[in-house]
Amino acid sequence: MNSPDDKNMYFIVESPEYTRDHNVGRICYIEESKYVSRFKLDNPTTLQVKMIGSCVDTFVKVNNIQPLSVQEAQLLQALGDNEARLRAFKDREGLDQALRLTKDSRVTVEVDGKWCQGVIRYIGPITRKIYPDPITGTFFGIELQGKDKGKGQHDGQYIGERYFKCSKDCGVFTPFTRVRPGAPKPLDPPKPLQAPVECLAAGERVSFFTEDGMHNGMVVALEEENNKPFVIISVDRIEKGDKGETIVLPLENVIREELLSPGPSSKTHLDVTGPLTGKTTEVKEPIHLSLDSVVEVELNAGKTVYGTVRWIGRLPGVEGTRVGLELEEPTGVSDGTFKGERFFNCPPKRGLFVKLDSCRPDSRFQTPGGTEGTLSTTMTNKHTARNGALGSVVEGSVAPLSSERALQVLEGRMRGVQGHCNSCYMDSALFSLFSCSSVLDSLLFKATKQQDAPIQTTLLQQIVNPLRKHGFVPSENVMKLRRQLQDGGHSDHTFTTEEKDPEEFLTLLMHRILCLEPLLKLSAGEKVQESYCYQIFLDQNHSLVLPTVQQLLEHSLHSGGLRLAEIPSCLILQMPRFGKKFKMFDKIIPSLELDVTDLLSESPRECVLCGVLANCECNECFRDPTFGSTGFKQFCESCSHKVHSHPRRKSHQPSRLRLPEGYPSTATHHSAPKERLQLFAVLCIETSHYVSFVRYGPGAKDWMFFDSMADREGDQDGYNIPTVWACPEVGRYLEMPLAELAAQVPREMDGVAKRLFCDAYMYLYQSPRMALYR
């Protein structure tokens, strides 16, 4: 992928250089010899580098760049968009997977928004290097396979040059972000196993699992690669007329079909391993399940228990296949052990071992069109959660969803965080904070008190990670967090039953439990106030009618005599209201960016008239329409003298501005950096029900709407259906002129846009620069 003569070192620009945001996400390089000699002389704070695509040397701060290998730089350079490149760099799992891909690897590739099966036939550049750039992007040439043949764009040629051969419209060239590892590559020709494999033989029926769920097939042959056994399987036909396909899987990923499917019978008996006795139930068809399936088991006296599959296999001294369940309630008989031997882990009295065919699909998650006899980690209609989402524990670290994957993972019914028992305040807050943003990910990994570690683990492994990986968090996971918050003595006994406010939950989590440093520090003269959220207050003299969030924040800070003591990594703003039901404004215009430069207590600012460095500020001029309706009014010495020479302003008393220590007082306006925060989510409330909007990408229409209780299946014993859907109409309204937007009748606004403009309760902003250091 790279030339051995390449003597350069490569970096990606990760943080902005003041206002030079256009370099963020670009690949830059420096000759290795220059880099070494530079660091031999001293410990430099800047480096002179070249950006890919530019002939001009550029100085960048060492702290603002991250090193790359040549291969990583080539993979990332294939992404034409700087923001996409930076997101891909931060998703280390995806980049590492791409580095491990080789020719003839089986993969899935995104083509026109759908994932198709294919085999890598080429890895390398498809565009010529442009002088003086030392590298160009690495692309993957993929031949589509099976049912996806004919969905490509070429036969292995690109701009008249051939890179590999395949049938017409079966070839695709794509960057690594649209490629996922698939099944192991086929062996050509198959190599016979050197030693017999007693567990399987040609002609036997087997089952295996993929991202689509469970599949069945017949063993065609056995082979090995690098002394590792593989099974060649003829997959069962899915639809009439489908020829099926042959795939190759590692032996450990395959199980005999009979172990997951009891023989057909009209009746079976429940045999609970433990003191509980069974009751006869009818089974209409074979049952299939996997780990993390959610099931129900009917006990004596018509009592039904619910649980999650944690183990499948054979118990010592017991005939037949058994299932180890972790029950929702402490009505079991063990903690995952049987006769002193541990098979899985769960709390005491939550473990239960039952026959495989005693389990039924959890009826609370069934829909009228569901397949009653199938138990998989996906729920039974086509809009349900992804594999492993229900009741799952996802360990490790999962990156926030990128703009390319957000809708793919989250959009639809049974998506997002499932609501239950007045949990909408928590559901919407968790979805907003963690689905597409990493600004508060420090909450998930920071050191915490031993007694609070289980709360942090639940938040990470059972809420944030499943949301980002599967796009769904079941209500029992959220209820577990609510119980932990309540049982730990951090809140009153109503935390699992009654409605709360998002700010109450967030403050409890960040301050009292995980002890996160306050997000917001406000300067009031010589004193500094700290908090996690900021409630906007307005005095009675304001003249705002259709305000922006920028105006509301400025007026609130002005009326309270407050300034920001430092740039917050995350700014949580509560809109002005009289309680939950009464709003101060019929509409509030979202500010996609908050310019906080002039809101900082010690920051260089520009004169609002001439643009040079300001040295004084006038509070009385704040409301003077002569200088505009937005922003604090600061002036240089000359402009202040002219402004306050006017008879109407002679009584004003401007105050001196404080500059950061060491900042040159003679600096021009070009030296004053702009500090901006980006909007990433909005929580809204209507009739005591919270929903949220999330801005999942940089585009004007990259908005999605989330409601944890959008629909319901069943009555008292039913369940809520959380739903996420795209709402590009929001972007259209945000681009309207102010007068046109003001004239919009809320009930006539398209889609869910009315909720954003009329029901906003809390705005969430993040600093892309400061979030990296929290």
Side-chain angles (χ1 to χ4, degrees):
M1 292 174 64
N2 62 295
S3 168
D5 298 327
D6 193 331
K7 302 299 183 183
N8 295 306
M9 299 188 68
Y10 295 87
F11 304 88
I12 185 170
V13 183
E14 189 179 28
S15 302
E17 285 282 330
Y18 298 116
T19 57
R20 289 159 57 188
D21 293 353
H22 61 278
N23 279 335
V24 175
R26 294 186 69 180
I27 306 294
C28 60
Y29 62 97
I30 181 175
E31 289 183 20
E32 185 176 357
S33 58
K34 291 182 180 179
Y35 178 87
V36 173
S37 61
R38 185 79 174 88
F39 274 83
K40 277 184 178 179
L41 295 174
D42 55 14
N43 189 21
T45 58
T46 62
L47 279 178
Q48 187 176 0
V49 300
K50 277 190 173 69
M51 297 289 169
I52 297 293
S54 173
C55 305
V56 182
D57 285 351
T58 303
F59 284 92
V60 296
K61 285 190 174 181
V62 173
N63 290 337
N64 291 349
I65 57 177
Q66 292 293 331
L68 299 170
S69 67
V70 180
Q71 292 86 353
E72 290 173 336
Q74 290 170 320
L75 287 169
L76 292 168
Q77 188 58 30
L79 303 173
D81 180 73
N82 291 340
E83 292 186 6
R85 191 178 296 122
L86 185 59
R87 284 193 300 271
F89 167 72
K90 292 181 178 180
D91 179 15
R92 290 302 312 178
E93 182 179 358
L95 191 55
D96 291 341
Q97 283 182 347
L99 290 169
R100 293 193 294 268
L101 291 175
T102 59
K103 285 181 64 176
D104 298 326
S105 295
R106 286 182 175 269
V107 294
T108 55
V109 57
E110 187 178 8
V111 181
D112 296 330
K114 297 182 179 180
W115 289 93
C116 302
Q117 298 177 1
V119 175
I120 296 177
R121 299 304 188 197
Y122 172 79
I123 303 175
I126 58 174
T127 56
R128 298 185 183 278
K129 288 190 289 189
I130 301 175
Y131 181 83
D133 294 346
I135 63 169
T136 186
T138 291
F139 290 81
F140 290 84
I142 296 170
E143 179 183 1
L144 301 183
Q145 301 274 302
K147 61 182 180 181
D148 295 315
K149 288 184 177 180
K151 297 180 181 179
Q153 299 135 1
H154 53 73
D155 62 353
Q157 290 190 85
Y158 182 74
I159 313 183
E161 188 166 345
R162 178 167 296 283
Y163 295 93
F164 64 94
K165 283 186 177 183
C166 67
S167 301
K168 182 180 179 182
D169 294 333
C170 288
V172 176
F173 286 110
T174 187
F176 76 95
T177 51
R178 299 181 182 275
V179 181
R180 294 176 181 171
K185 66 180 181 180
L187 301 179
D188 187 20
K191 179 183 176 183
L193 282 172
Q194 299 302 314
V197 179
E198 298 179 357
C199 57
L200 285 177
E204 285 197 83
R205 299 284 304 168
V206 292
S207 299
F208 58 93
F209 295 88
T210 69
E211 288 186 352
D212 303 325
M214 192 181 79
H215 302 276
N216 300 306
M218 184 180 71
V219 176
V220 175
L222 302 172
E223 58 185 46
E224 75 169 15
E225 179 185 14
N226 298 325
N227 294 322
K228 184 177 180 181
F230 287 84
V231 185
I232 303 176
I233 303 169
S234 175
V235 182
D236 288 352
R237 296 169 179 164
I238 300 173
E239 298 177 358
K240 188 174 181 180
D242 187 352
K243 296 181 179 179
E245 61 175 326
T246 299
I247 67 168
V248 182
L249 291 175
L251 178 63
E252 65 264 22
N253 292 354
V254 178
I255 188 170
R256 274 198 182 93
E257 188 178 83
E258 64 189 53
L259 296 180
L260 294 182
S261 303
S265 62
S266 59
K267 292 188 178 181
T268 184
H269 292 278
L270 172 67
D271 180 12
V272 178
T273 305
L276 297 173
T277 57
K279 179 181 179 180
T280 301
T281 56
E282 291 197 2
V283 178
K284 298 181 180 179
E285 55 186 316
I287 300 173
H288 306 285
L289 59 78
S290 65
L291 295 180
D292 294 328
S293 296
V294 284
V295 299
E296 63 184 39
V297 177
E298 189 175 2
L299 306 179
N300 276 342
K303 181 180 179 181
T304 301
V305 295
Y306 302 90
T308 303
V309 176
R310 298 302 187 203
W311 176 84
I312 305 172
R314 296 182 182 272
L315 293 171
V318 179
E319 293 183 0
T321 302
R322 303 290 162 148
V323 177
L325 301 180
E326 181 180 356
L327 303 179
E328 292 182 355
E329 302 296 335
T331 55
V333 296
S334 79
D335 61 353
T337 59
F338 178 73
K339 293 183 178 181
E341 184 177 354
R342 180 166 299 283
F343 293 87
F344 64 95
N345 290 294
C346 71
K349 295 188 177 181
R350 293 289 181 95
L352 188 67
F353 293 93
V354 300
K355 265 189 173 182
L356 173 72
D357 49 12
S358 301
C359 302
R360 305 302 305 163
D362 190 330
S363 58
R364 298 171 301 173
F365 297 104
Q366 296 295 305
T367 59
T371 304
E372 188 170 310
T374 300
L375 289 178
S376 72
T377 50
T378 57
M379 288 184 290
T380 54
N381 68 27
K382 64 181 180 180
H383 300 294
T384 54
R386 288 186 180 273
N387 292 357
L390 289 174
S392 65
V393 174
V394 180
E395 297 179 348
S397 174
V398 181
L401 291 166
S402 63
S403 57
E404 294 87 358
R405 297 189 65 236
L407 290 182
Q408 176 189 337
V409 174
L410 291 170
E411 189 178 23
R413 287 165 62 85
M414 276 297 179
R415 288 289 190 267
V417 184
Q418 186 179 34
H420 175 66
C421 196
N422 296 317
S423 67
C424 61
Y425 70 96
M426 187 181 291
D427 307 329
S428 56
L430 291 169
F431 185 87
S432 299
L433 281 172
F434 295 110
S435 59
C436 300
S437 172
S438 62
V439 68
L440 286 184
D441 275 14
S442 56
L443 275 174
L444 309 173
F445 303 104
K446 72 181 297 294
T448 189
K449 293 176 288 187
Q450 184 176 357
Q451 64 268 28
D452 294 328
I455 296 176
Q456 187 182 46
T457 300
T458 298
L459 180 63
L460 172 64
Q461 297 184 1
Q462 293 188 258
I463 294 178
V464 176
N465 283 353
L467 177 64
R468 293 173 174 177
K469 185 173 183 179
H470 304 302
F472 178 75
V473 179
S475 60
E476 57 262 37
N477 290 18
V478 181
M479 181 57 75
K480 180 179 179 179
L481 178 64
R482 295 169 75 182
R483 288 195 189 101
Q484 288 176 321
L485 295 173
Q486 178 175 287
D487 296 342
H490 299 292
S491 60
D492 59 43
H493 66 281
T494 65
F495 212 79
T496 58
T497 56
E498 296 186 5
E499 180 184 316
K500 304 291 181 182
D501 295 323
E503 66 271 20
E504 181 180 353
F505 161 61
L506 293 175
T507 301
L508 171 67
L509 188 66
M510 291 188 284
H511 174 51
R512 294 183 58 187
I513 298 175
L514 300 181
C515 302
L516 187 71
E517 183 180 351
L519 300 175
L520 182 63
K521 296 184 179 181
L522 295 170
S523 173
E526 297 298 322
K527 296 182 179 180
V528 175
Q529 305 172 7
E530 298 180 337
S531 66
Y532 295 88
C533 308
Y534 180 71
Q535 172 68 64
I536 289 180
F537 294 96
L538 299 179
D539 58 34
Q540 298 179 350
N541 299 322
H542 75 83
S543 58
L544 300 174
V545 178
L546 185 63
T548 64
V549 177
Q550 178 87 40
Q551 291 173 323
L552 290 173
L553 179 59
E554 290 170 348
H555 277 71
S556 181
L557 292 177
H558 176 263
S559 61
L562 301 171
R563 294 293 185 273
L564 300 177
E566 63 181 33
I567 304 168
S569 60
C570 179
L571 180 60
I572 303 175
L573 298 177
Q574 294 173 245
M575 294 299 99
R577 304 174 71 96
F578 299 108
K580 297 178 184 177
K581 297 183 179 179
F582 303 101
K583 300 175 289 189
M584 288 188 66
F585 302 98
D586 291 332
K587 291 194 191 97
I588 294 176
I589 310 302
S591 298
L592 299 182
E593 280 192 338
L594 281 183
D595 188 344
V596 298
T597 309
D598 296 340
L599 309 184
L600 293 165
S601 58
E602 293 186 18
S603 173
R605 309 185 208 171
E606 297 175 358
C607 173
V608 296
L609 296 182
C610 69
V612 303
L613 187 68
N615 54 21
C616 64
E617 181 182 38
C618 182
N619 283 330
E620 289 87 350
C621 287
F622 180 85
R623 302 182 189 278
D624 193 329
T626 304
F627 308 110
S629 59
T630 301
F632 289 88
K633 308 304 184 295
Q634 58 272 338
F635 309 94
C636 65
E637 198 80 62
S638 174
C639 291
S640 178
H641 177 75
K642 295 176 184 177
V643 165
H644 295 102
S645 297
H646 193 283
R648 197 174 58 191
R649 305 188 193 94
K650 281 188 175 181
S651 61
H652 292 188
Q653 297 181 345
S655 58
R656 302 294 296 181
L657 290 174
R658 291 185 297 181
L659 293 174
E661 185 176 349
Y663 195 90
S665 59
T666 58
T668 67
H669 66 287
H670 297 292
S671 303
K674 291 291 184 182
E675 300 293 350
R676 294 184 173 91
L677 307 181
Q678 295 178 352
L679 177 65
F680 69 94
V682 184
L683 273 68
C684 301
I685 185 172
E686 184 180 33
T687 60
S688 297
H689 179 61
Y690 289 96
V691 296
S692 67
F693 290 82
V694 171
R695 189 182 178 199
Y696 64 87
K701 297 181 179 180
D702 291 346
W703 287 87
M704 58 183 168
F705 176 76
F706 166 63
D707 187 348
S708 66
M709 304 178 183
D711 201 356
R712 186 168 180 82
E713 185 69 34
D715 298 321
Q716 184 175 354
D717 296 329
Y719 58 92
N720 292 308
I721 299 176
T723 305
V724 179
W725 55 88
C727 48
E729 66 272 13
V730 167
R732 182 164 56 82
Y733 285 107
L734 287 173
E735 293 175 338
M736 282 185 178
L738 196 59
E740 185 179 351
L741 182 58
Q744 295 292 315
V745 179
R747 65 175 179 272
E748 296 177 0
M749 296 179 79
D750 295 338
V752 293
K754 174 258 179 187
R755 306 286 297 274
L756 176 65
F757 290 94
C758 301
D759 301 327
Y761 180 86
M762 180 180 283
Y763 277 78
L764 307 179
Y765 287 86
Q766 62 185 352
S767 168
R769 184 167 70 90
M770 295 305 296
L772 298 174
Y773 304 99
R774 288 290 185 182

